[in-house]
Amino acid sequence: MKISLYATLAAMALATPSFAGDAAVGEKTFAKCKSCHMIVAPDGTEIVKGGKVGPNLYGIVGRAAASVEGFKYGDGLTKAAENGLVWDEALIAEYVVDPTKFIDTHGGEGKSKMTFKLAKGGEDVAAYLASVAQ
């Protein structure tokens, strides 16, 4: 009986997605992203002044992919959005590692317009992005 209980608890722990990004570290890591992305609140407050090559990342967590009005997204991300992709912290962290691979595995087809790959720190950047729009 105890073994069965422990096995069940272990299976539940493994099945529950865990996400442990550090927003403070992510804020520093985001410096690599701001050459292309800005974070501007709906009222116009600039949280991070950045480039306009990529879309504004304010409120990205919980937002449908490819949904910033007026921004021209690539076909791959647009297709993934049509298939229901909604950003959460884990998906953002996965995306920044290899955007094209992410699109291919999440309902899109083709390359991503984002060519930058963030080898480490994606979880922290995602936690930071979640924290600025709360």
Side-chain angles (χ1 to χ4, degrees), residues 39-99:
I39 303 175
V40 179
D43 68 1
T45 303
E46 282 187 335
I47 298 163
V48 174
K49 186 175 182 174
K52 296 181 181 176
V53 173
N56 179 8
L57 296 181
Y58 184 88
I60 190 169
V61 176
R63 183 171 73 203
S67 63
V68 171
E69 206 169 307
F71 187 81
K72 176 94 170 99
Y73 291 93
D75 294 339
L77 193 56
T78 301
K79 179 75 172 166
E82 289 170 358
N83 288 325
L85 180 65
V86 175
W87 294 114
D88 63 22
E89 290 181 57
L91 289 173
I92 292 167
E94 182 183 350
Y95 178 77
V96 298
V97 172
D98 188 340

Side-chain angles (χ1 to χ4, degrees), residues 3-132:
I3 292 174
S4 177
L5 175 64
Y6 291 132
T8 301
L9 290 174
M12 286 173 50
L14 292 173
T16 304
S18 82
F19 191 84
D22 184 326
V25 173
E27 182 175 9
K28 292 174 186 166
T29 305
F30 190 79
K32 297 176 183 179
C33 309
K34 72 179 187 174
S35 62
C36 295
H37 295 278
M38 87 265 333
I39 303 175
V40 179
D43 68 1
T45 303
E46 282 187 335
I47 298 163
V48 174
K49 186 175 182 174
K52 296 181 181 176
V53 173
N56 179 8
L57 296 181
Y58 184 88
I60 190 169
V61 176
R63 183 171 73 203
S67 63
V68 171
E69 206 169 307
F71 187 81
K72 176 94 170 99
Y73 291 93
D75 294 339
L77 193 56
T78 301
K79 179 75 172 166
E82 289 170 358
N83 288 325
L85 180 65
V86 175
W87 294 114
D88 63 22
E89 290 181 57
L91 289 173
I92 292 167
E94 182 183 350
Y95 178 77
V96 298
V97 172
D98 188 340
T100 296
K101 181 179 176 183
F102 175 90
I103 285 172
D104 287 342
T105 60
H106 288 279
E109 297 170 355
K111 293 182 178 181
S112 171
K113 285 176 67 175
M114 184 168 134
T115 57
F116 179 77
K117 295 179 181 181
L118 186 62
K120 59 183 181 176
E123 296 87 2
D124 300 325
V125 169
Y128 171 64
L129 292 171
S131 75
V132 296

